[in-house]
């Protein structure tokens, strides 16, 4: 049986004017800044007026470690939100915006799939409302002002060898990872080595996603450490004088984007930090606003629960004062079989033995999530080739780990297929049984925080860090940054730092390559293994199949 592609389904959507979607949430039309007919930004004045309202229930959707078989975390997030509305609940979803790099590379878009999508799909996966361009521009402005300050006399006495601020672009471009700038003579400045990260790894992106309002945004931007003097004195963004202009560039980007699902339910799509190299959650302002507007808010954290969910709990919830009522852990029978050793080409054949062998990865995530004091429901994202015996094997395994698994067919049937999952999730959320707490305190040393995540979440035996890394962490503690959480940057494909090590490995080590202080965002980035903050394109990038058809419509997007 053939199925329509995601983009074909999205193109057939019967979208409602965005003012009608806003009306569902009680947002007056005058507080919406429309971008066309089907998307709008929500005004800051309206957001501020919601402060006295009671918060709804926060539901986190996360997943097992990604595999080429597919998991469907965003699809499940959208499907669950639609399912909650179908059973009569006032619910909305909050997800991240898509980065252009992965769209044209290998990962694809970030709008869901099948009949559980957010629309307009093409715009969301391309330029959308320009938020990422604004973040790139604000980041680039600071880069330019740093080099300009050095060129015109260097009043702050910046050591050109200790400029910590790299550049960014929202594209996978490995050639820019390590470069030399200001070549070509005296008029071009002082040559130095630097490099590019992808925009979603920018501290500006993290700041926008963690800031509460424009005032908080400017303060955090000012707190960015951009360089050091020869005496190792920190130079901040506010010393360069860029924080005000950067805030101006980010003024509109700070406002959450309102769109709709295929079933015309409201969704905020705002912010987009990667979970393997940043904290991987949508913006705090979007989540907090949604909690004032809806009784249930379904949000997601990027990649597997060892990355996105851990950072959601230890960074976003800690910083924003949030607490999830229930966690939905997405898994697929296909992924279980792949973790059990089945090749992608053979996933269509029933193999209960492989399902059982591959469930260790799922079990590890269940244990980790429960350690945060939050109840866990496993959503089995159904694929059409899944057999009853395979599904039963996953359910039995999950039951043995003190959780329950529910099959959801939202990809194929929309909210009709996710109603059972939505009913159970709402029941658990309403029971108020969660006792959420991060897994380490603020006053623990930075290295101990790294060890806590590595040993309790990754099940590593040890953290390997040389004297340079340990001394740097101690220096930051002495400078007053010891209370910050840690943001682990590692491969998303494994609990370890080896992307080929599937399942639930133990006895491994976590090598720390470098640490970076994101003083404005408020966390320490811990770069582990071979992870890159600037991805490269695969041998056959998705861009090769993206283009316009004879009618001028986009083809080839996932």
């Amino acid at each position: 049986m053939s199925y329509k592609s995601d983009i074909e389904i999205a193109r057939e959507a019967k979208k409602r004017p965005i003012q009608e979607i806003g009306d569902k949430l009680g947002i007056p039309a005058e507080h919406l800044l429309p971008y066309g007919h089907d998307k709008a930004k929500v005004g800051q004045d309206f957001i501020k007026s919601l402060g006295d309202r009671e918060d709804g229930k926060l539901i986190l959707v996360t997943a097992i470690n990604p595999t080429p078989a597919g998991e469907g975390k965003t699809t499940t997030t959208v499907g669950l939100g639609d399912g909650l509305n179908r059973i009569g609940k006032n619910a909305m979803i909050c997800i991240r915006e898509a980065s252009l790099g992965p769209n044209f590379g290998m990962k694809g878009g970030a709008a869901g799939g099948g009949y559980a999508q957010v629309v307009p799909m093409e715009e969301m996966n391309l330029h959308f409302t320009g938020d990422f361009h604004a973040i790139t521009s604000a980041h680039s402005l600071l880069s330019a002002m740093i080099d300009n300050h050095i060129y015109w006399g260097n009043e702050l006495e910046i050591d050109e060898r200790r400029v910590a601020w790299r550049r960014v672009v929202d594209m996978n471009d490995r050639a820019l990872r390590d470069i030399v700038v200001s070549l070509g003579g005296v008029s071009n400045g002082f040559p130095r080595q630097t490099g590019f990260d992808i925009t979603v790894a920018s501290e500006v992106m993290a700041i926008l996603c963690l800031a509460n309002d424009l005032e908080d945004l400017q303060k955090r931007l000012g707190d960015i450490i951009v360089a050091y003097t020869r005496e190792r004195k920190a130079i901040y963004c506010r010393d360069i004088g860029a924080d005000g202009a950067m805030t101006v560039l980010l003024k509109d980007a700070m406002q959450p984007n309102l769109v709709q699902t295929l079933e015309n339910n409201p969704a905020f799509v705002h912010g987009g930090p990667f979970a393997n190299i940043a904290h991987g959650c949508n913006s705090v302002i979007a989540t907090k606003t949604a909690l004032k507007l809806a009784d249930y808010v379904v949000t997601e954290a990027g990649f597997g629960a060892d990355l996105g969910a851990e950072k959601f709990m230890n960074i976003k919830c800690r910083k924003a004062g949030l607490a999830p009522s229930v966690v939905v852990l997405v898994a697929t029978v296909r992924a279980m079989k792949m973790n059990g050793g089945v090749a992608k080409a053979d996933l269509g054949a029933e193999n209960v033995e492989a399902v059982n062998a591959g469930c260790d990865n799922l079990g590890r995530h269940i244990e980790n999530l429960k350690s945060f004091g939050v109840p866990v429901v496993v959503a089995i994202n159904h694929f059409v080739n899944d057999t009853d015996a395979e599904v039963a094997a996953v359910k039995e395994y999950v039951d043995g780990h003190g959780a329950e698994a529910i099959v959801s067919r939202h990809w194929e049937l929309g909210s009709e297929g996710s109603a059972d999952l939505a009913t159970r999730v709402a029941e658990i959320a309403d029971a108020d049984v969660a006792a959420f707490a991060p897994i380490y305190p603020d006053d623990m040393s930075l290295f101990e925080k790294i060890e806590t995540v590595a040993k309790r979440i990754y099940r590593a035996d040890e953290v390997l860090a040389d004297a340079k890394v340990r001394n740097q962490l101690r220096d930051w503690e002495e400078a007053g940054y010891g209370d910050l959480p840690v943001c682990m940057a590692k491969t998303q494909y494994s609990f370890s730092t080896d992307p080929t090590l599937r399942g639930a490995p133990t006895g491994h080590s976590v090598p720390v390559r470098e640490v970076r202080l994101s003083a404005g965002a408020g966390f320490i980035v811990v770069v582990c293994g071979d992870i890159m903050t600037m991805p490269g394109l695969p041998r056959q990038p998705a861009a090769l199949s993206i283009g316009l058809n004879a009618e001028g419509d986009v083809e080839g997007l996932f």
Side-chain angles (χ1 to χ4, degrees), residues 401-423:
H401 278 70
E404 59 184 301
I406 300 172
V407 175
S408 189
R409 292 179 168 84
H410 45 272
W411 182 88
E412 181 183 7
L413 303 173
S415 63
E416 179 185 351
S418 61
D420 289 345
L421 176 65
T423 299

Side-chain angles (χ1 to χ4, degrees), residues 38-361:
D38 51 11
K39 51 192 177 294
K41 285 187 169 289
V42 181
Q44 295 281 346
D45 290 342
F46 175 77
I47 292 172
K48 289 179 180 179
S49 74
L50 302 174
D52 294 334
R53 293 194 187 182
E54 186 177 345
D55 285 347
K57 305 289 187 180
L58 182 59
I59 301 162
L60 173 67
V61 177
T62 184
I64 60 172
N65 291 97
T67 70
E71 286 69 52
K73 183 172 66 274
T74 304
T75 305
T76 302
T77 301
V78 179
L80 177 56
D82 281 339
L84 286 165
N85 280 288
R86 184 183 183 89
I87 64 172
K89 306 296 184 181
N90 173 24
M92 67 178 301
I93 67 171
C94 288
I95 61 175
R96 296 170 298 160
E97 300 177 51
S99 169
L100 289 178
N103 278 335
F104 292 103
M106 180 173 64
K107 179 178 177 291
Y115 288 92
Q117 291 190 60
V118 175
V119 287
M121 185 261 220
E122 294 101 322
E123 286 94 328
M124 277 184 54
N125 284 325
L126 296 172
H127 303 289
F128 200 27
T129 58
D131 292 346
F132 280 26
H133 299 313
I135 291 166
T136 304
S137 295
H139 187 115
S140 298
L141 173 63
L142 178 54
S143 300
M145 290 184 69
I146 293 167
D147 286 319
N148 188 62
H149 178 89
I150 295 171
Y151 178 82
W152 289 108
N154 196 7
E155 181 181 349
L156 294 171
E157 298 183 346
I158 293 172
D159 184 348
E160 293 95 329
R161 300 166 303 173
R162 295 189 172 97
V163 176
W165 193 247
R166 291 161 59 85
R167 286 167 157 79
V168 298
V169 63
D170 191 27
M171 195 57 62
N172 294 4
D173 193 345
R174 62 172 56 85
L176 296 178
R177 288 173 182 161
D178 198 346
I179 64 171
V180 177
V181 295
S182 299
L183 296 177
V186 175
S187 63
N188 293 341
F190 297 86
R192 63 181 178 86
Q193 186 175 2
T194 184
F196 277 76
D197 296 328
I198 192 166
T199 294
V200 284
S202 167
E203 187 176 353
V204 178
M205 171 68 81
I207 286 172
L208 182 135
C209 289
L210 290 170
N212 289 304
D213 50 38
L214 288 171
E215 292 77 18
D216 188 30
L217 176 71
Q218 181 161 349
K219 179 192 177 301
R220 288 171 176 271
L221 291 171
D223 287 342
I224 295 171
I225 295 177
V226 299
Y228 296 88
T229 66
R230 289 179 181 268
E231 291 73 32
R232 307 297 178 91
K233 175 190 173 185
I235 303 297
Y236 296 88
C237 173
R238 66 172 57 88
D239 297 328
I240 297 294
D243 52 319
M246 292 170 72
T247 304
V248 169
L249 285 174
L250 296 169
K251 177 176 66 71
D252 290 338
M254 186 67 184
Q255 298 173 288
N257 304 299
L258 177 66
V259 287
Q260 61 192 289
T261 70
L262 291 176
E263 299 188 16
N264 310 122
N265 292 313
F268 279 152
V269 180
H270 194 223
F274 274 9
N276 58 348
I277 52 180
H279 69 287
C281 307
N282 75 291
S283 73
V284 166
I285 191 171
T287 302
K288 284 188 168 182
T289 302
L291 287 168
K292 300 296 184 184
L293 296 173
D295 296 329
Y296 302 85
V297 175
V298 185
T299 190
E300 67 171 351
F303 292 124
D306 57 316
L307 284 169
E310 181 268 310
K311 295 170 186 178
F312 177 88
M313 308 287 194
N314 284 322
I315 298 177
K316 181 175 179 177
C317 289
R318 184 195 304 265
K319 295 287 185 181
L322 300 171
S325 297
V326 59
V327 176
V328 176
L329 177 60
V330 181
T332 63
V333 168
R334 292 164 56 87
M336 294 301 95
K337 287 194 283 191
M338 183 160 271
N339 270 298
V342 176
K344 186 177 180 181
D346 301 324
L347 291 175
E350 181 178 88
N351 192 330
V352 176
E353 182 179 349
V355 171
N356 287 322
C359 277
D360 283 348
N361 186 269

Side-chain angles (χ1 to χ4, degrees), residues 497-542:
T497 57
D498 178 357
T500 66
L501 201 56
R502 299 196 184 279
T506 58
H508 57 94
S509 302
V510 174
V512 176
R513 194 171 82 238
E514 65 172 304
V515 287
R516 302 178 183 178
L517 172 57
S518 294
F523 53 69
I524 307 292
V525 179
V526 183
V527 183
C528 304
D530 297 325
I531 190 67
M532 295 288 183
T533 51
M534 167 56 82
L537 292 172
R539 182 182 295 273
Q540 296 292 323

